């Protein structure tokens, strides 16, 4: 009883401290066009008396703010008002923002038109007036089922699908409007980051877990068309991650612990005057512990690291240093209780050791009516994979895969951005030096003999070593202006990209990429938008570096993959906090890579743990994807926020014969609903529902699968029937509950995040296998004799892996 009274007294005391706790919000306000600091800006916490004015450097700080979620109104003479919704102010960390204001435009008579119908809920710009979405850091953190992983969170946005409802449903492959996973590019504060997922598929992009620390992010912008001309190699989307600045006033941090990971983040000043700040984080995965507890034979393990340093050299010049990296290991362990499914997973996947990093430095210099950026960066991916007939046995048998590769890119970018007489224009150049090395041994098909010793299948093996360098360079120009009393916005641009390796790589006309975007204000709340553009992407290094038996680079004649987008839509903004959009799109592909061996488009591949493109190809394929999207968003007001998104699309690529076939990403239907409510006493509830139509599926070649299963550990797909079948539709319901306690200088957030809490099954194609003995120690045979290597006396069967995956995560975050 004494201990109970002590705990009760401690709880009451902590609640009293929480009731008295306050927080701080601070930041800088700058002109969005010129990037100059703005003096005299009013920053007000709505429904309170808390307000301040920015100083000559555009800086502001509001102290002694009672903890809670706030709406912040930012206003200044000559600038458009800006509203920030759902800004959490806690006693643990000081919230710091870099706020960009749009210059104000004179209103039309009878119709209020400000910066082209600018509202706080709107995510578009003059350069990208449609096919664009934004997520704030708080929206990412509180996303049910997201587990602080940006790659999973954005799958709730229109046009964005994943590999849920397939064999790779646990991965973070991002499918935008029916395009392949490797058609997206990622930029962190203007520095390109090729890898954002752990255990990334080389030549593609996805992986099972994201690398980027959400605590670093201020917001994320996703463009799925009408790309800014400064970004090359994008066919389906451009992700722009905007990171926070470190706190100028004091050292602070947070620690996040859950059943799967431990993460620590710190930020603060590095100089007494606050001109230099930093953010730094490290994260350690405990997935291998969890998988051991639930007796899975795979043991994924990873670390990741991230940092950012900001230094204000003078009033006009800022230096930024940043980096992100990861160390990944994917090993195996014998299950305590063997099952056919576990043993299949054990021998069908390769063991992987992978590390990668991106480091960069950029300088931004303000000048009259604009600014320029200069950045230099380096990124590297080291990838090793091995696979045996028996990955864990004392006798591992034949090695079927030994792959070692390294990609290194050194990049230099320079761009100028100006606004003169209402014309907004930018131009720039970039140069890259790439080093690629690869050593590959892979058994595609083993030599197989029948029971009489007659060869019935000759061996097919890839074995080569390559080490080459190539240079890449390119440039862009774009300009835009508003006309007819600012009703009509027009943006024109082009870019071209070249390289020193491919046969036609030095011809700038081969990749000339024009684009135009239009926006027209129909009324105060309605805007009509449209864009047309052609975009190019270089063939993956894995394909460019492939050599045949004679040592020749057989893919040097590859062309850049080409995609032309036609998009039109309408946007309705009934209030600052509410947004509706409807868009139709058509994407036409040409010069698509098709592999020689199977005659299928590489754009149908890339959502597994293999390597994409490490084989002979031709760039003769075509494709298309078309559909429409509807999106509705309500920012947090009156304690409620919500998102509704529906997309219909039809995606196809040609095979070797030129026949259009449904792509591997052709879900047809994508539906997402997210709702959240903030209760009193710092309780929060979030709900998410996702629905995806069934994806196409390729059946197995029964004869080839029987011959090769024991060596390769998996069946052989019948690519003559590519995507001729279709899985059932997929759905998942997620829930998240948060409870926060605020103390004098710390905040505790306890959360429960449950994925698929309604236990819906995730449809996946069955796996070809052989029937095992009752104790799973070997294979049953038709004649009770030892199994033949050619599988002639095996008993084929299909393993059903369409299970209901229920994934609860309990964790806490401590801010201090």
């Amino acid at each position: 009883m004494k201990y109970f009274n002590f705990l009760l007294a401690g709880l009451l005391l902590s609640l009293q401290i929480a009731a008295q706790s306050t927080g701080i919000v601070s930041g800088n306000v700058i002109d969005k066009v010129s990037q100059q600091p703005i003096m005299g800006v009013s920053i007000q916490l709505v429904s309170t008396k808390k307000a301040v004015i920015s100083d000559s450097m555009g800086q502001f700080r509001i102290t002694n703010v009672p903890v809670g979620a706030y709406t912040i109104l930012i206003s200044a003479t000559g600038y458009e008002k800006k509203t920030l919704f759902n800004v959490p102010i806690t006693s643990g960390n000081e919230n710091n923002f870099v706020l960009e204001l749009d210059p104000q435009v004179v209103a039309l008579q009878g119709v209020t038109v400000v910066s082209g119908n600018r509202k706080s809920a709107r995510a578009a710009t003059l350069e990208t007036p449609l096919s664009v979405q934004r997520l704030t850091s708080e929206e990412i953190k509180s996303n049910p089922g997201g587990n602080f992983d940006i790659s999973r969170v954005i799958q709730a946005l229109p046009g964005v699908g994943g590999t849920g409802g397939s064999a790779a449903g646990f991965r973070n492959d991002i499918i935008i409007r029916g395009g392949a996973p490797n058609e997206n590019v990622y930029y962190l504060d203007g520095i390109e980051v090729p890898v954002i997922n752990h255990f990334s598929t080389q030549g593609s992009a996805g992986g099972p877990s994201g690398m980027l620390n959400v605590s670093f992010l201020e917001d994320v912008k996703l463009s799925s068309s009408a790309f800014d001309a400064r970004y090359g190699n994008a066919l389906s989307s451009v992700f722009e991650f905007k990171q926070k600045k470190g706190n100028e006033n004091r050292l602070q941090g947070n620690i996040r612990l859950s059943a799967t990971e431990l993460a620590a983040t710190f930020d603060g000043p590095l100089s007494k005057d606050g001109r230099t700040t930093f953010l730094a984080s490290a994260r350690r995965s405990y997935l291998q512990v969890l998988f051991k507890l639930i007796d899975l034979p795979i043991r994924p393990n990873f670390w990741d690291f991230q940092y950012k340093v900001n230094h204000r050299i003078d009033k006009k010049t800022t230096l930024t240093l940043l980096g992100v990296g990861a160390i990944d290991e994917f090993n195996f362990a014998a299950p305590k209780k063997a099952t056919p499914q576990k043993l299949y997973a054990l021998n069908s996947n390769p063991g992987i050791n992978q590390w990668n990093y991106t480091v960069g430095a950029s300088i931004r210099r303000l000048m009259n009516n604009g600014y320029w950026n200069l950045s230099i960066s380096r990124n590297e991916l080291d990838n090793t994979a091995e696979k045996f007939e028996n990955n864990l046995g004392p006798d591992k048998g034949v090695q079927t895969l030994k792959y070692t590769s390294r990609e290194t890119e050194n990049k230099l970018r320079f761009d100028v951005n100006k606004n003169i007489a209402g014309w907004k224009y930018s131009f720039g150049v970039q140069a890259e030096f790439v080093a690629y090395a690869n050593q590959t041994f892979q058994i595609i098909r083993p030599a197989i003999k029948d029971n009489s010793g007659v060869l019935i299948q000759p061996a097919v093996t890839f074995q080569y070593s390559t080490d080459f360098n190539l240079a890449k360079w390119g440039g862009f120009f774009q300009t835009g202006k508003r006309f007819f009393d600012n009703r009509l916005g027009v943006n024109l641009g082009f870019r071209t990209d070249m390289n020193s390796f491919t046969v036609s790589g030095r011809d700038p006309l081969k990749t000339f990429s024009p684009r135009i975007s239009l926006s027209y204000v129909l009324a105060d709340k309605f805007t009509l938008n449209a864009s047309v553009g052609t975009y190019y992407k270089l063939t993956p290094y894995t394909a460019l570096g492939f050599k045949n038996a004679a040592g020749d680079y057989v893919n040097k004649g590859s062309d850049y993959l080409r995609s032309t987008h036609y998009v039109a839509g309408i946007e309705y903004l009934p209030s600052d906090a509410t947004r509706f959009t409807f868009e139709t799109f058509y994407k036409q592909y040409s010069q698509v890579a098709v592999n020689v061996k199977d005659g299928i488009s590489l754009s149908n591949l890339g959502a597994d743990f293999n390597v994409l493109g490490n084989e002979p190809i031709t760039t003769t394929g075509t494709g298309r994807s078309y559909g429409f999207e509807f999106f509705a968003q309500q920012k947090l007001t009156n304690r409620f926020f919500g998102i509704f998104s529906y997309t219909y699309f039809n995606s196809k690529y040609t095979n070797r014969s030129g026949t259009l076939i449904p792509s591997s990403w052709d879900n047809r239907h994508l539906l997402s609903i997210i709702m959240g409510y903030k209760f009193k006493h710092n309780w929060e509830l979030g709900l998410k529902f996702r629905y995806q139509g069934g994806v196409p599926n390729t059946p197995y070649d029964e004869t080839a699968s029987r011959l090769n299963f024991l060596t390769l550990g998996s069946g052989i797909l019948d690519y003559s029937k590519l995507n001729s079948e279709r899985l059932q539709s997929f759905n998942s319901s997620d829930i998240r509950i948060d409870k926060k306690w605020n103390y004098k200088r710390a905040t505790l957030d306890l959360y429960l995040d449950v994925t698929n809490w309604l236990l819906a099954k995730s449809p996946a194609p069955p796996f070809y296998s052989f029937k095992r003995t009752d104790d799973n120690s070997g294979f049953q045979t038709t004649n009770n004799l030892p199994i033949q290597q050619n599988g002639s006396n095996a008993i084929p069967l299909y393993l059903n892996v369409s299970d209901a995956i229920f994934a609860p995560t309990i964790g806490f975050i401590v801010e201090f």
Side-chain angles (χ1 to χ4, degrees):
M1 191 66 183
K2 183 188 299 184
Y3 290 114
F4 175 77
N5 290 334
F6 176 77
L7 290 173
L8 180 60
L11 176 60
L12 292 174
L13 178 61
S14 67
L15 290 176
Q16 182 180 11
I17 294 173
Q20 298 171 348
S21 297
T22 60
I24 301 171
V25 61
S26 61
N28 302 72
V29 188
I30 60 176
D31 185 301
K32 186 173 183 179
V33 176
S34 69
Q35 297 291 292
Q36 299 275 359
I38 308 174
M39 178 181 176
V41 179
S42 170
I43 299 94
Q44 178 186 359
L45 303 185
V46 177
S47 301
T48 75
K49 295 182 180 180
K50 294 283 185 180
V52 295
I53 302 296
S54 64
D55 62 18
S56 60
M57 293 298 295
Q59 298 176 332
F60 69 91
R61 195 166 190 245
I62 308 176
T63 60
N64 297 318
V65 181
V67 296
Y70 288 86
T71 298
I72 301 180
L73 179 64
I74 305 98
S75 59
T77 303
Y79 289 90
E80 187 54 34
K81 290 182 180 180
K82 185 182 184 75
T83 306
L84 299 181
F85 296 94
N86 193 16
V87 178
I89 297 180
T90 66
S91 58
N93 285 174
E94 178 177 330
N95 241 328
N96 187 275
F97 295 94
V98 176
L99 305 173
E100 296 181 332
L101 295 187
D102 290 284
Q104 195 171 44
V105 180
V106 178
L108 292 173
Q109 183 176 0
V111 178
T112 303
V113 181
V114 186
S115 295
N117 196 18
R118 186 70 187 176
K119 301 277 187 179
S120 294
R122 193 179 188 212
T125 62
L126 178 65
E127 295 84 0
T128 308
L130 76 173
S131 302
V132 60
Q133 309 292 338
R134 285 186 184 272
L135 289 173
T136 66
S137 174
E138 185 63 17
E139 289 169 333
I140 298 169
K141 292 177 183 177
S142 61
N143 186 277
N147 200 26
F148 305 98
D149 191 334
I150 180 61
S151 298
R152 294 187 182 275
V153 172
I154 62 98
Q155 293 182 22
L157 296 178
V160 184
T163 45
S166 72
F170 58 90
R171 288 170 51 93
N172 280 352
D173 302 285
I174 300 173
I175 312 300
I176 308 287
R177 292 178 171 177
N182 66 349
E183 294 180 8
N184 314 302
V185 294
Y186 312 95
Y187 285 83
L188 192 64
D189 286 345
I191 300 293
E192 185 175 6
V193 181
V195 179
I196 65 167
N197 287 299
H198 291 282
F199 306 103
S200 179
T201 300
Q202 191 174 1
S204 189
S209 181
M211 284 170 45
L212 299 182
N213 186 347
V214 175
S215 296
F216 273 54
L217 300 181
E218 189 166 307
D219 67 40
V220 178
K221 177 183 176 182
L222 165 64
S223 305
S224 50
S225 194
F227 306 134
D228 190 310
R230 74 186 70 239
Y231 301 122
N233 238 30
L235 297 183
S236 282
S237 77
V238 175
F239 284 83
E240 298 172 63
F241 300 99
K242 180 183 177 183
Q243 297 186 109
K244 298 177 180 178
K245 279 180 57 181
N247 193 333
E248 297 179 357
N249 303 297
R250 69 176 180 92
L251 178 66
Q252 62 183 19
N254 68 71
I255 293 176
R256 185 174 78 243
L257 177 65
S258 70
T260 59
E261 64 185 27
L262 172 64
T265 303
F266 296 91
D267 71 287
L270 288 176
S271 61
K272 292 182 179 180
D273 58 6
R275 292 173 60 185
T276 307
T277 62
F278 84 97
L279 296 97
S281 73
R283 180 171 58 152
R284 172 76 160 88
S285 164
Y286 291 105
L287 280 174
Q288 74 276 24
V289 177
L290 176 63
F291 284 17
K292 182 178 180 180
L293 288 174
I294 60 179
D295 198 30
L296 289 180
I298 56 177
R299 296 289 187 271
N301 179 30
F302 63 77
W303 287 82
D304 59 48
F305 313 91
Q306 196 168 337
Y307 72 86
K308 177 182 178 181
V309 176
N310 263 87
H311 176 62
R312 191 171 67 250
I313 298 174
D314 55 41
K315 290 184 178 181
K316 293 187 175 183
T317 312
T318 303
L319 170 67
T320 301
L321 308 174
L322 61 83
V324 58
I327 302 172
D328 304 330
E329 298 175 353
F330 189 93
N331 298 314
F332 303 98
K336 294 178 181 178
K337 183 179 180 181
T339 66
Q341 288 82 358
K342 292 177 183 178
L343 294 174
Y344 181 90
L346 192 62
N347 289 320
S348 62
N349 292 299
I352 299 172
N353 283 281
Q354 193 177 100
W355 56 261
N356 74 85
Y357 68 83
T358 298
V359 293
S362 64
I363 294 178
R364 172 167 291 187
R365 174 73 177 177
L366 305 183
M367 56 184 178
N368 290 336
N369 302 311
Y371 59 95
W372 56 258
N373 292 307
L374 174 65
S375 67
I376 184 171
S377 65
R378 176 184 173 94
N379 55 265
E380 192 163 349
L381 169 66
D382 187 278
N383 188 19
T384 300
E386 288 188 321
K387 188 171 178 291
F388 296 85
E389 280 186 331
N390 186 357
N391 279 325
L392 264 189
D395 178 10
K396 292 188 175 183
V398 175
Q399 184 169 27
T400 59
L401 173 66
K402 185 175 183 180
Y403 177 86
T404 302
S405 177
R406 180 173 295 181
E407 297 179 8
T408 307
E409 295 178 317
N410 301 281
K411 301 175 182 178
L412 177 69
R413 298 175 183 271
F414 178 76
D415 60 76
V416 176
N417 307 268
K418 302 205 72 172
N419 193 333
I420 299 178
W423 283 94
K424 184 178 181 182
Y425 67 90
S426 58
F427 60 88
V429 293
Q430 66 186 65
E432 299 181 30
F433 180 77
V434 179
Y436 176 77
N438 183 336
Q439 289 185 323
T440 296
F441 170 78
Q442 183 178 10
I443 295 178
I444 306 300
R445 300 284 188 274
I448 297 293
K449 297 180 180 180
D450 64 16
N451 296 338
S452 302
V454 177
L455 184 68
I456 57 176
Q457 175 181 278
V460 179
T461 302
F462 286 163
Q463 183 169 8
Y464 73 96
S465 175
T466 186
D467 188 348
F468 74 90
N469 301 322
L470 70 91
K472 297 163 61 178
W473 62 96
F476 77 94
F477 176 84
Q478 65 186 5
T479 185
K481 183 177 171 58
R482 299 191 183 277
F483 302 92
F484 305 121
D485 293 327
N486 300 297
R487 283 187 180 275
L488 176 65
V490 180
N491 190 79
L492 301 166
F494 69 86
R495 72 169 292 121
T496 184
D497 293 279
M498 291 154 281
N499 75 86
S500 63
F501 186 79
T502 60
V503 174
S504 60
R506 289 179 171 82
D507 186 351
L509 298 180
K510 285 279 189 177
T511 57
F512 183 72
S513 173
R515 60 204 70 191
I516 181 172
S517 298
L518 305 171
S519 62
Y520 188 79
V521 179
L522 298 173
D524 180 31
K525 297 179 173 64
F526 289 91
T527 305
L528 184 65
N529 305 297
S531 74
V532 179
T534 297
Y535 313 104
Y536 289 89
K537 176 180 174 58
L538 182 64
T539 302
Y541 303 137
T542 50
L544 294 180
F546 181 82
K547 287 182 177 180
N548 61 13
D552 300 322
Y553 291 107
V554 298
N555 297 327
K556 286 194 70 171
S558 301
D559 291 314
Y560 283 71
L561 175 56
R562 170 178 169 156
S563 180
T564 300
H565 294 198
Y566 307 88
V567 188
I570 191 167
E571 183 176 54
Y572 173 53
L573 301 168
S575 71
D576 280 352
T578 308
R579 179 182 180 221
F580 297 91
T581 65
F582 179 83
E583 293 185 10
T584 61
F585 60 88
Y586 184 92
K587 299 197 296 185
Q588 186 174 12
Y589 290 90
S590 59
Q591 300 171 182
V592 180
V594 176
N595 69 3
V596 174
K597 176 171 65 72
D598 300 310
I600 64 171
S601 170
L602 292 192
S603 294
N604 279 312
L605 306 174
D608 53 27
F609 292 106
N610 294 309
V611 176
L612 177 69
N614 194 32
E615 57 185 323
I617 62 168
T618 63
T619 51
T620 56
T622 62
R624 71 183 184 198
S625 182
Y626 61 87
F628 63 86
E629 301 170 349
F630 174 75
F631 178 68
Q633 181 179 30
Q634 174 64 47
K635 294 281 188 177
L636 179 70
T637 53
N638 298 321
R639 298 182 178 270
F640 171 82
F641 64 89
I643 289 177
F644 177 90
S645 171
Y646 172 74
T647 303
Y648 169 83
F649 69 93
N650 186 301
S651 171
K652 294 183 178 181
Y653 293 100
T654 58
N655 57 12
R656 179 163 32 206
S657 67
T659 304
L660 280 168
I661 294 173
S663 78
S664 299
W665 333 113
D666 186 41
N667 297 92
R668 301 292 174 92
H669 302 281
L670 303 173
L671 173 67
S672 295
I673 302 172
I674 297 178
M675 297 181 291
Y677 193 84
K678 290 183 178 287
F679 297 90
K680 294 181 179 179
H681 307 299
N682 295 319
W683 284 93
E684 300 178 23
L685 172 67
L687 297 170
K688 179 168 68 175
F689 174 78
R690 289 182 300 140
Y691 171 89
Q692 295 184 3
V695 293
N697 180 44
T698 302
Y700 286 98
D701 183 323
E702 296 278 354
T703 302
S705 295
R706 178 189 285 265
L707 287 173
N708 295 279
F709 178 79
L710 289 179
T711 299
L712 301 182
S714 60
I716 304 296
L717 297 178
D718 185 355
Y719 286 117
S720 67
K721 301 177 182 177
L722 176 69
N723 292 339
S724 58
E725 301 177 355
R726 192 174 287 267
L727 298 178
Q728 295 295 313
S729 60
F730 160 81
N731 72 86
S732 177
S733 299
D734 310 326
I735 184 171
R736 182 185 172 100
I737 301 172
D738 283 77
K739 167 61 177 173
K740 292 181 181 178
W741 290 270
N742 287 282
Y743 302 92
K744 189 173 182 179
R745 287 289 297 271
T747 299
L748 172 63
D749 181 356
L750 181 65
Y751 65 89
L752 171 66
D753 198 348
V754 183
T755 301
N756 195 29
W757 68 306
L758 295 182
L759 299 177
K761 287 189 175 183
S762 179
F767 293 149
Y768 181 93
S769 184
F770 289 161
K771 189 175 182 179
R772 292 185 174 270
T773 57
D774 292 339
D775 62 359
N776 290 300
S777 62
F779 293 102
Q780 294 186 27
T781 59
T782 56
N783 54 10
N784 295 321
L785 295 176
I787 192 166
Q788 296 292 313
Q789 189 65 28
N790 61 18
S792 59
N793 61 342
I795 304 174
L797 69 89
Y798 287 92
L799 298 176
N800 182 15
V801 290
S802 296
D803 298 323
I805 301 175
F806 173 75
T809 299
I810 299 175
F812 66 82
I813 305 169
V814 179
E815 298 179 358
F816 51 88

